[in-house]
Each structure stands twice: as C-alpha cells, then as structure tokens.
Amino acid sequence: MGTLYIVSTPIGNLDDISIRAKKILGSVSTVLAEDTRQSRILLNHIAVSPRLVAFHDFNKEKVTPAIIASLKENSDMR
C-alpha cells in the first residue's frame, strides 16, 4: 500500500519551506493541491516536478476514489 504524506507549505516566503518538506515533495510521483497554480510555483522553486492533481471542496467526491485506488496500488502521494 502506498503512503499519503501531509506536507505543510510556507505562507509568503518560499524559502521558508523545510528541508524535510523538500525531500518528501522531491520523492513522490503525485502531489495533491488545493490550488495547483500556487503549488506549481512552489514546486518550480524547489526544482521538483511531480504530477500535480487538484483536490478541493468542489472535486473531492469525484477525485477521492482514484486517490484511494492509487494508494492501494502502492503509489505515494503528498
């Protein structure tokens, strides 16, 4: 079974991201994000390029089954 990591991101200064957060974001294949535009800015800043998937109140019912299936197939998500 895959692992779902919850990673906090900096508010404001992108350089405030922790070393551990960088390591985790750099090691996963997929990142779930409420605002993919803002998340892409952060991921570009730390020079990583996992697949970015929108996950928010408006699509959570539709996206959740695919997330669970992916985790069951041993994919890690952040």
Side-chain angles (χ1 to χ4, degrees), residues 53-64:
V53 175
F55 183 79
H56 45 68
D57 281 342
F58 302 108
N59 75 347
K60 66 184 175 188
E61 300 296 327
K62 182 178 177 182
V63 176
T64 299

Side-chain angles (χ1 to χ4, degrees), residues 15-74:
D15 289 325
D16 288 341
I17 190 166
S18 73
I19 294 169
R20 185 172 184 193
K22 286 182 191 180
K23 182 178 177 182
I24 290 172
L25 292 171
S27 70
V28 298
S29 60
T30 305
V31 170
L32 304 173
E34 184 174 7
D35 185 340
T36 56
R37 296 166 298 174
Q38 291 300 313
S39 296
R40 177 59 58 206
I41 292 168
L42 174 64
L43 295 172
N44 288 341
H45 181 75
I46 62 172
V48 299
S49 56
R51 181 172 71 117
L52 198 54
V53 175
F55 183 79
H56 45 68
D57 281 342
F58 302 108
N59 75 347
K60 66 184 175 188
E61 300 296 327
K62 182 178 177 182
V63 176
T64 299
I67 294 168
I68 293 170
S70 181
L71 289 168
K72 285 182 178 180
E73 294 172 5
N74 206 25

